[in-house]
Amino acid sequence: MQNEEKTDKIQNSTQPTRALDVIDRKILSELTKDADTSYADLSTKVGLSAPAVHERVKRLRSSGRIKQTAALLDGSAVGKPLLAFVHLDTEGWGKTEELMALGNLPELEEMHSITGDSCMLLKVRLENSQALEGFLAKLYQLPGVRGTKSYVVLSTYLERPVQADISKELVTT
């Protein structure tokens, strides 16, 4: 067993929520590219044995750093080629029970409370412009909704899940 692997097991038992190190970030980076990557393949890419990688992945899951494993679908291939971002203006903060219930719609992919001219930002993926119109109509039926601004995506150049790597040049001191 490599020294780092021994240290890994000791840290695992004494520090269940320790900070991410370079190897953790490499593992997470590889898993965001392909969550089906085997522990054997991961071990080759990060320089640890497969059992040590397995332990690290278990720790990353138990700490909540890996929330879930999911398939990333192609919107057009599943009949939802229209991607739009809707800025929602509401009275107050806007987080009402009725608005949160929209989370049950499979077309609503993300919902964020934001700063600026709007209160919330919604990411929706729909079948066509008529479906977007129907979604907006549903929004306007909710109490407290004052207005929306919709931005329809023409082309997507980059779309990916959260990345584990940190760009050092962006960190200011």
Side-chain angles (χ1 to χ4, degrees):
M1 185 179 281
Q2 298 173 354
N3 285 341
E4 188 168 357
E5 291 174 19
K6 288 179 185 174
T7 305
D8 226 23
K9 288 191 178 191
I10 292 168
Q11 286 178 345
N12 227 0
S13 61
T14 59
Q15 295 180 356
T17 57
R18 68 173 179 74
L20 292 176
D21 64 15
V22 173
I23 293 176
D24 288 334
R25 290 188 187 282
K26 283 182 184 177
I27 290 169
L28 291 170
S29 179
E30 291 300 324
L31 289 174
T32 59
K33 293 174 193 168
D34 182 3
D36 288 334
T37 304
S38 69
Y39 294 126
D41 287 343
L42 279 174
S43 71
T44 301
K45 292 175 180 177
V46 302
L48 293 178
S49 69
V53 169
H54 177 73
E55 284 301 314
R56 282 185 179 242
V57 171
K58 277 182 20 184
R59 185 177 59 235
L60 291 165
R61 286 184 193 282
S62 68
S63 70
R65 291 186 170 111
I66 296 176
K67 294 195 305 187
Q68 65 183 20
T69 303
L72 297 176
L73 307 179
D74 180 294
S76 295
V78 296
K80 295 180 182 178
L82 182 75
L83 174 61
F85 292 90
V86 178
H87 289 234
L88 180 62
D89 188 23
T90 62
E91 296 172 7
W93 282 100
K95 185 181 172 187
T96 64
E97 190 174 312
E98 296 88 353
L99 187 59
M100 294 294 104
L102 290 176
N104 295 324
L105 296 174
E107 291 79 9
L108 181 58
E109 293 185 353
E110 297 178 15
M111 182 184 294
H112 307 276
S113 174
I114 61 171
T115 63
D117 294 341
S118 302
C119 299
M120 299 195 85
L121 176 64
L122 312 178
K123 178 182 176 185
V124 293
R125 198 173 303 265
L126 307 119
E127 183 179 2
N128 53 37
S129 59
Q130 290 79 23
L132 176 58
E133 187 175 13
F135 180 80
L136 295 173
K138 196 167 194 62
L139 283 177
Y140 278 103
Q141 291 172 358
L142 299 177
V145 171
R146 292 195 301 208
T148 63
K149 292 180 189 171
S150 300
Y151 300 88
V152 174
V153 173
L154 300 176
S155 297
T156 299
Y157 301 110
L158 176 66
E159 184 175 46
R160 62 182 175 198
V162 174
Q163 302 294 296
D165 292 333
I166 296 175
S167 301
K168 303 263 189 263
E169 67 270 14
L170 299 180
V171 179
T172 60
T173 53

